[in-house]
Amino acid sequence: MSWALFWKFVLVFCLSAYSLLVVIVIFGGIRNIIDMLKDLSAPRDQE
Amino acid sequence: MDVFSTNFATIDWVIVMVYICIPVVIGVIVRKYVRQLSDFIVAGRSLRLFVAIATLTGTELGLVTVMYNAELGFKHGFSAFHVGIIETVCILAIGLTGFIVYKLRELRVMTIPEFYEMKFGRNVRIIGGFLLATGGILNMGLFLQAGARFMMGVTGYSNPAGLKLFMSVMLIMVLVYTVMGGMVSVVLNDFLQFIVLSIGMLVGSYFAITKIGWGNLFRAPETVNQASWFNPVAEGSGFGSIYVIFMVVLTFSAGALWQSGTLRALAAKSPKVAKQLFAWSSVSYLARRVIPMLWGICAFVFISQTPKLLSAFQGPDAINSQFGMPIFLAKILPSGFLGLIAAGMFAAFMSTHDSYLLSWSSVITQDIVAPLKKGELSDKSRMLITRISIVSIGMFLLIWGLWFEAPVSLWNYMAVTGTIYLAGAFTVVTAGLYWKKASKTGATIALFAGLLAILGIGPWTQGDNVPFYLSDKFIGLITFAIAILGMIIGSLLFPDKHKQAEVSQ
């Protein structure tokens, strides 16, 4: 396999996988932030 | 075609201005959630997986990351992609095995030097904290400069005073919201910036590829060596075998122990989340390298097809190669979208800066000032010291960025300054966690060995005919080797007489 073909594969993989990750993280992240703020609002002991 | 001509219009300025107010507003709102030091530094250890991925990406995909990777692509073509592949494999390996990050999260430390104290005592913590802060602050020394160059290239503002102006304004924005909200503010901003930046990068890549053409993209321009444009170990690529080995060592150690990234693992909800975070983020690490490199490659192809632009980047008065990518984007992206990209990049600038400022200032507070002070420091005093440190580091960045130029390339500067801390830290933490004979003396030698990497940013590393032993890549690699040897020899010759409680199980 030539270097050019290999980098072509890497580029296509990178753009596709990152697009998918962005969608997953946006939806999952909103839920996570709500939970995090709930945690931080709850009464706690000093560490 | 004028070099600094741009499609950046009034609407783009409006988009950028509106966008940069958001972090400050968030910083003010979340102040009420910051009640104790662990809230400020590790967001109360409440980060769940997806928001942790966003914030890790937001931190590790900064404007400076985009700039140094674009510069690599601009100067070396596709052969630069090897750095991305190596880093991705290293991050994935850390995520799958949990190497270092799982155990550190289990120990509930807030900074790496805190671990040094658990294993090797207070003095090693102070030395480690000092070297970490020194290497880290020096490492971010050119962030402001690179960020300002991007904004100048995109907006077409070529006035020599522009660099100072952009650097000052950008710094003030970041300082305000980091000082106010700490890690909670950082996490929320990172999430928002992850969204804007990611969409901007993906759509920007579409425009860049469309402009150059998919077929043309994989044909090396006539002005460059055909083989070295694609092959990182080919003669003339500017990399070579030593560089590739250095990248393996550097990206693996940085992946596990770069304080700003590791801070995300330490802030994770559990050790398992810390591990998953790295496995998922390997895709982000690939994107943070490959996409900006792609932009740099497209910029070079575009510029090499335009004689007036090409001549501006050649000869003794050549424009700095970091300007290549932003000048290219300014000419091909439509107005409106250019503002969004600029806002996204500015967001990237802020999300990296806030985390780095928080990382190094928390090290100064937790690992240098607090251990040196007799008696316990209250949370309130620690937060005050952290905030003062943030502002002081900001002032240093402004001064350093105005007079220092990276001798070889921005990435090489980052790699070598990162080694000051990483060579010692990687050795000491790995030995501390996984080698029972690791001793205080070995740890101290390994930490100090990291200082050798400073030689890698000297003027002798500059030029085409530098002997290999004076090159920054060789100095970086040998620093790691000396740190590891120092740890082994120091520990075997001077074992600890009274072993502290065993950390590793």
Side-chain angles (χ1 to χ4, degrees):
Chain A
M1 190 165 70
S2 74
W3 280 102
L5 195 61
F6 177 63
W7 297 134
K8 200 180 275 189
F9 168 76
V10 168
L11 184 57
V12 171
F13 172 78
C14 172
L15 293 173
S16 322
Y18 191 59
S19 305
L20 189 64
L21 182 77
V22 170
V23 174
I24 294 171
V25 169
I26 289 174
F27 287 104
I30 291 169
R31 237 177 111 170
N32 285 177
I33 285 176
I34 295 167
D35 291 339
M36 181 185 83
L37 293 179
K38 272 184 198 162
D39 283 356
L40 290 171
S41 307
R44 285 164 291 162
D45 295 329
Q46 285 283 324
E47 287 189 22
Chain B
M1 187 184 286
D2 182 41
V3 176
F4 279 93
S5 67
T6 177
N7 296 335
F8 203 85
T10 312
I11 179 70
D12 300 300
W13 278 114
V14 173
I15 293 170
V16 173
M17 293 300 169
V18 170
Y19 191 84
I20 59 180
C21 292
I22 297 173
V24 181
V25 174
I26 291 178
V28 174
I29 293 172
V30 302
R31 280 198 83 177
K32 65 178 177 182
Y33 293 105
V34 180
R35 286 179 283 162
Q36 57 195 41
L37 189 69
S38 64
D39 294 347
F40 193 77
I41 295 180
V42 288
R45 295 193 185 86
S46 56
L47 290 194
R48 288 161 173 83
L49 181 61
F50 294 111
V51 78
I53 294 170
T55 186
L56 180 63
T57 308
T59 305
E60 299 305 322
L61 207 172
L63 177 48
V64 70
T65 325
V66 174
M67 287 294 280
Y68 65 63
N69 284 311
E71 188 188 24
L72 282 181
F74 188 84
K75 289 169 92 167
H76 306 285
F78 282 97
S79 61
F81 271 23
H82 80 276
V83 183
I85 300 285
I86 291 171
E87 188 173 62
T88 306
V89 171
C90 291
I91 298 294
L92 187 62
I94 293 166
L96 294 177
T97 60
F99 184 66
I100 292 181
V101 293
Y102 190 93
K103 286 198 171 194
L104 280 183
R105 176 59 189 83
E106 263 186 338
L107 293 169
R108 295 177 67 84
V109 292
M110 282 198 274
T111 63
I112 310 289
E114 206 176 324
F115 168 77
Y116 297 163
E117 182 171 0
M118 291 172 88
K119 183 71 186 173
F120 302 109
R122 179 158 289 208
N123 287 345
V124 175
R125 177 180 188 169
I126 296 169
I127 294 166
F130 174 74
L131 291 170
L132 168 56
T134 306
I137 294 167
L138 208 53
N139 182 264
M140 70 184 295
L142 297 183
F143 283 18
L144 260 181
Q145 185 196 75
R149 279 185 175 146
F150 176 84
M151 295 306 283
M152 285 175 72
V154 166
T155 59
Y157 193 84
S158 57
N159 187 314
L163 195 67
K164 290 176 189 165
L165 178 73
F166 276 110
M167 281 173 65
S168 306
V169 173
M170 291 163 95
L171 178 67
I172 291 167
M173 295 298 304
V174 175
L175 288 181
V176 168
Y177 85 86
T178 310
V179 166
M180 282 193 298
M183 186 59 132
V184 181
S185 162
V186 166
V187 166
L188 294 181
N189 277 303
D190 281 356
F191 184 68
L192 176 72
Q193 288 157 15
F194 169 82
I195 298 170
V196 175
L197 183 64
S198 299
I199 294 172
M201 281 179 53
L202 290 166
V203 179
S205 299
Y206 168 78
F207 276 107
I209 293 171
T210 308
K211 181 71 188 175
I212 301 302
W214 184 251
N216 287 337
L217 185 62
F218 293 93
R219 273 195 286 273
E222 287 170 5
T223 49
V224 299
N225 180 314
Q226 301 293 306
S228 64
W229 187 251
F230 294 103
N231 182 352
V233 290
E235 201 174 328
S237 70
F239 299 118
S241 312
I242 292 177
Y243 190 90
V244 172
I245 298 167
F246 178 41
M247 285 303 109
V248 172
V249 177
L250 182 81
T251 56
F252 189 73
S253 54
L257 280 172
W258 193 239
Q259 173 75 11
S260 54
T262 309
L263 205 59
R264 297 303 183 282
L266 302 180
K269 185 91 180 152
S270 66
K272 191 182 165 196
V273 171
K275 200 175 145 187
Q276 289 172 329
L277 167 64
F278 278 80
W280 280 79
S281 297
S282 57
V283 175
S284 301
Y285 275 82
L286 182 65
R288 82 175 189 139
R289 295 279 180 184
V290 165
I291 293 177
M293 283 172 184
L294 168 73
W295 291 2
I297 293 166
C298 291
F300 187 82
V301 174
F302 177 79
I303 286 167
S304 64
Q305 290 167 350
T306 319
K308 193 173 175 189
L309 286 178
L310 187 61
S311 61
F313 282 91
Q314 290 174 333
D317 296 324
I319 300 173
N320 190 299
S321 52
Q322 288 169 34
F323 278 110
M325 179 271 289
I327 284 176
F328 166 67
L329 292 185
K331 292 178 185 1
I332 65 145
L333 296 180
S335 182
F337 186 71
L338 194 54
L340 196 67
I341 284 275
M345 288 300 144
F346 195 77
F349 170 85
M350 291 198 286
S351 64
T352 305
H353 256 82
D354 56 22
S355 297
Y356 276 68
L357 285 169
L358 196 61
S359 292
W360 310 135
S361 59
S362 56
V363 167
I364 291 172
T365 308
Q366 296 289 91
D367 305 313
I368 303 174
V369 179
L372 282 172
K373 190 177 177 302
K374 285 175 185 164
E376 189 63 23
L377 263 179
S378 67
D379 264 16
K380 203 176 166 188
S381 307
R382 285 176 194 242
M383 274 203 263
L384 178 66
I385 297 166
T386 305
R387 285 175 166 136
I388 292 170
S389 304
I390 289 172
V391 176
S392 309
I393 296 168
M395 293 303 115
F396 165 79
L397 297 183
L398 193 60
I399 297 163
W400 184 257
L402 282 174
W403 73 267
F404 191 83
E405 279 290 344
V408 180
S409 71
L410 186 55
W411 165 240
N412 285 30
Y413 171 85
M414 305 282 298
V416 168
T417 49
T419 302
I420 296 170
Y421 152 70
L422 283 170
F426 183 68
T427 309
V428 172
V429 174
T430 306
L433 286 171
Y434 302 101
W435 190 39
K436 286 181 181 171
K437 288 183 178 173
S439 79
K440 199 182 289 182
T441 310
T444 308
I445 295 171
L447 286 170
F448 277 116
L451 281 173
L452 285 172
I454 289 180
L455 297 172
I457 56 169
W460 47 84
T461 59
Q462 202 168 9
D464 294 329
N465 299 312
V466 178
F468 85 95
Y469 54 88
L470 285 181
S471 66
D472 49 5
K473 52 198 171 194
F474 181 76
I475 292 171
L477 192 57
I478 205 75
T479 302
F480 272 97
I482 293 172
I484 293 168
L485 276 177
M487 182 78 199
I488 295 170
I489 296 169
S491 298
L492 293 177
L493 290 182
F494 304 98
D496 287 341
K497 286 177 185 161
H498 305 289
K499 273 274 179 194
Q500 294 187 351
E502 191 58 65
V503 176
S504 178
Q505 298 199 354

